[in-house]
Structures are given as C-alpha cells and as structure tokens.
Amino acid sequence: AQSVTQLGSHVSVSEGALVLLRCNYSSSVPPYLFWYVQYPNQGLQLLLKYTSAATLVKGINGFEAEFKKSETSFHLTKPSAHMSDAAEYFCAVSEGTGNQFYFGTGTSLTVIP
Amino acid sequence: KAGVTQTPRYLIKTRGQQVTLSCSPISGHRSVSWYQQTPGQGLQFLFEYFSETQRNKGNFPGRFSGRQFSNSRSEMNVSTLELGDSALYLCASSLGLVLSTDTQYFGPGTRLTVL
C-alpha cells in the first residue's frame, strides 16, 4: 500500500527566506510524485511532478523538488518566499499500474512580511 | 481553454437526502476523477471515469456513485447522506492516457454541507 506523509501541518517563513516543505512516501514500486498547491476557495494546481526522469524537478513559480529514493523523500523547496506563496501544499504519489492518487494531509504555508 | 467547471459551488442538504454534483472537464480531456476533501481525512480518491467507464475506484461505500457521459462530462451522486459526507468535492480532468502520470487539472470544488 502507498502512503504519503507531510511533516508539519503548518509552516511559517519570513518573506525572502527559504521555503522547505517535507514529503515522505512509501511505495512498493517506483512511484510517481507530485506537488500541488491550493489557494483559498480554489481547486488544486500542479506545481511539479516526478515521473522517473531527472531527480531534480523544476516547477512553476520558482519551486523545485528532489526525488531521493534512499530517503523515500520528495521535499519541495523555493529559495526565496513571496507573500503570494501563502497557500496549502499537497504532496501526492501514484503507481504506474494502480492508477490511484494518494495525497498527503497538506501543509499550510504562511509567509510573514 | 476553459478550465474544469463544477456545479453547484455550494450545496446544503439534510441527512437521508441524495445529491448530484456535476463536473465539466477541459475540452479534449477524457478522464475525470473525483476526490473528497475534509479537514480530518485530507484528500481521498473516490473514483475515475474514462470514456464513460469507471476505470478506478477508491475505498468509499456504494452510496457514492458516478457516471460519465459521451461528452466526458461527469456526475457524482451520493445517496442517503450522512453528516460525515460534509466535504469539499473536487473534480479533476486529464487527457487520460495514463492516469498515474497525467497532469490533472482541478476544478474549484463543490462545498457540500449536510445538516
């Protein structure tokens, strides 16, 4: 069975500081990994995805994530936080054959001016 | 292109009633997936439809059902509503070639409140 763990349901950073949102997964087969962002009263928007190509994945809005198989992690980072980054972030995993998505419980990011 | 649209955006029902939610995918997308989002359980996969057939299903009771029409529009039905069904129901569409790697585009959701 697959699962996704997002450490820290709430993360606060100062504007201009590094953003680090943690995601660990468990999967019995090579996974596909995703990060989504959800703004208030909106649906989810894909930030980036890993589908077994380069382990360092660059996404929209300056975000990137690195797939580390040995650590079963797919942490999301951004060098410099902007006020507009305040939102809920979800990590998700899927398998090639299962065709189901498993989402983490989300991390709410607050950016302090 | 127009995005994924969901109607209605807000819905209030009472226990025991049934409800139907609608989702119109992005033009050209053949896969529609449904998710339930609650503060306690997070996002949970309900089911996925592709070319009018249910292709994948999550672990929800039979009270939750869906269908897809020939134009790829999808409806989700919940019968005999329970208080615990109160949630944000999200619909996502994708090309549907390989769901596990496709980019899913989400609608704004339908907020269902069961009283």
Side-chain angles (χ1 to χ4, degrees):
Chain A
Q2 298 181 74
S3 67
V4 179
T5 302
Q6 290 184 242
L7 291 175
S9 57
H10 297 276
V11 170
S12 294
V13 299
S14 298
E15 190 175 15
L18 171 72
V19 176
L20 171 61
L21 305 181
R22 300 178 185 275
C23 173
N24 288 88
Y25 69 90
S26 67
S27 175
S28 57
V29 299
Y32 301 113
L33 296 156
F34 306 77
W35 274 101
Y36 283 87
V37 61
Q38 185 178 32
Y39 298 101
N41 298 316
Q42 294 186 29
L44 278 68
Q45 179 184 7
L46 180 70
L47 280 175
L48 48 81
K49 65 179 179 181
Y50 166 76
T51 57
S52 74
T55 56
L56 181 61
V57 182
K58 294 187 184 298
I60 62 172
N61 301 339
F63 285 94
E64 63 181 38
E66 185 172 8
F67 172 64
K68 291 187 176 181
K69 184 178 179 180
S70 61
E71 299 177 8
T72 60
S73 69
F74 191 57
H75 301 331
L76 181 71
T77 60
K78 182 175 180 177
S80 177
H82 191 272
M83 296 299 294
S84 61
D85 294 327
E88 188 90 15
Y89 292 80
F90 293 91
C91 181
V93 62
S94 73
E95 289 180 352
T97 56
N99 277 333
Q100 285 197 26
F101 278 81
Y102 298 88
F103 283 83
T105 51
T107 297
S108 177
L109 176 67
T110 299
V111 181
I112 303 166
Chain B
K1 277 186 179 179
V4 178
T5 58
Q6 293 187 245
T7 57
R9 291 293 310 276
Y10 302 91
L11 209 48
I12 299 175
K13 293 286 187 180
T14 56
R15 280 181 298 174
Q17 287 187 309
Q18 75 165 18
V19 66
T20 299
L21 313 181
S22 180
C23 172
S24 292
I26 291 172
S27 177
H29 285 190
R30 297 168 63 190
S31 168
V32 174
S33 298
W34 288 90
Y35 296 86
Q36 181 194 66
Q37 185 177 20
T38 59
Q41 299 295 321
L43 272 154
Q44 293 184 287
F45 174 78
L46 281 155
F47 33 64
E48 182 236 358
Y49 285 85
F50 177 77
S51 292
E52 302 179 64
T53 301
Q54 187 180 86
R55 186 165 63 171
N56 294 287
K57 189 178 187 305
N59 297 321
F60 277 80
R63 299 186 298 108
F64 292 82
S65 63
R67 60 177 176 169
Q68 186 180 35
F69 302 94
S70 58
N71 61 358
S72 293
R73 189 177 71 85
S74 177
E75 288 182 346
M76 190 192 90
N77 184 274
V78 187
S79 62
T80 318
L81 284 166
E82 301 176 359
L83 294 178
D85 297 333
S86 294
L88 180 67
Y89 290 88
L90 292 165
C91 159
S93 78
S94 68
L95 289 171
L97 300 175
V98 181
L99 180 63
S100 55
T101 57
D102 276 355
T103 295
Q104 294 189 73
Y105 295 85
F106 284 78
T110 293
R111 174 75 63 185
L112 172 64
T113 301
V114 182
L115 302 175

